[in-house]
Amino acid sequence: MKNRDVCEVTCVDSDKTTKLQPLVENRNIFEVTKVFKALSDETRMKIAYALTLEEELCVCDVANIVGATTATASHHLRHLKSLGLAKYRKEGKLVYYSLDDDHVKQLIHIAFEHQQEVAGRQ
């Protein structure tokens, strides 16, 4: 059985590949993959999505929302912070997390919009 989604012959468009190859090589792909890897974890995506819905949440609230211990929630939040996806502030004995900036919020919203669009095609 042949794959219908693979070229049956090799035909490279050298103009396109010559133009695109340095553009791809010069971008910091590795750092971007770290962002997507972090968000590929279901718990971290739940946390990030919750943070799109509220300006900020304390670690205890995050743990409650995602059904995890505060230690687990804190671990995931620190990971999101280490990649520049979240930031925190401490107020008394509570630590509040929020998304680092609007780019992160947009990224998450676009991912959900895309998922709904793809689901609608099926």
Side-chain angles (χ1 to χ4, degrees):
M1 183 170 161
K2 288 187 172 186
N3 286 335
R4 304 188 77 162
D5 58 353
V6 177
C7 295
E8 294 180 26
V9 295
T10 300
C11 179
V12 176
D13 183 332
S14 62
D15 288 341
K16 284 183 185 176
T17 59
T18 301
K19 180 179 76 176
L20 295 177
Q21 202 167 36
L23 296 175
V24 170
E25 291 299 321
N26 290 332
R27 295 304 295 224
N28 198 342
I29 301 291
F30 180 69
E31 292 300 319
V32 174
T33 61
K34 289 192 322 190
V35 169
F36 284 105
K37 282 180 186 174
L39 294 175
S40 71
D41 179 89
E42 189 175 337
T43 301
R44 282 193 290 271
M45 181 53 99
K46 286 179 181 176
I47 291 169
Y49 182 62
L51 290 172
T52 69
L53 302 175
E54 282 290 331
E55 194 67 30
E56 64 181 10
L57 293 166
C58 83
V59 176
C60 306
D61 290 338
V62 169
N64 189 278
I65 290 166
V66 301
T69 64
T70 53
T72 298
S74 183
H75 168 77
H76 286 299
L77 285 161
R78 277 194 304 273
H79 189 63
L80 292 173
K81 182 188 172 303
S82 74
L83 294 170
L85 297 171
K87 59 186 177 187
Y88 77 92
R89 68 177 182 87
K90 187 164 183 159
E91 186 176 308
K93 293 183 177 182
L94 300 176
V95 175
Y96 292 91
Y97 275 86
S98 60
L99 294 178
D100 190 69
D101 62 26
D102 202 47
H103 294 113
V104 180
K105 189 181 248 183
Q106 289 177 28
L107 186 64
I108 294 164
H109 282 296
I110 288 169
F112 276 100
E113 285 175 21
H114 179 70
Q115 183 276 325
Q116 288 176 333
E117 185 179 307
V118 169
R121 290 186 214 152
Q122 298 167 351

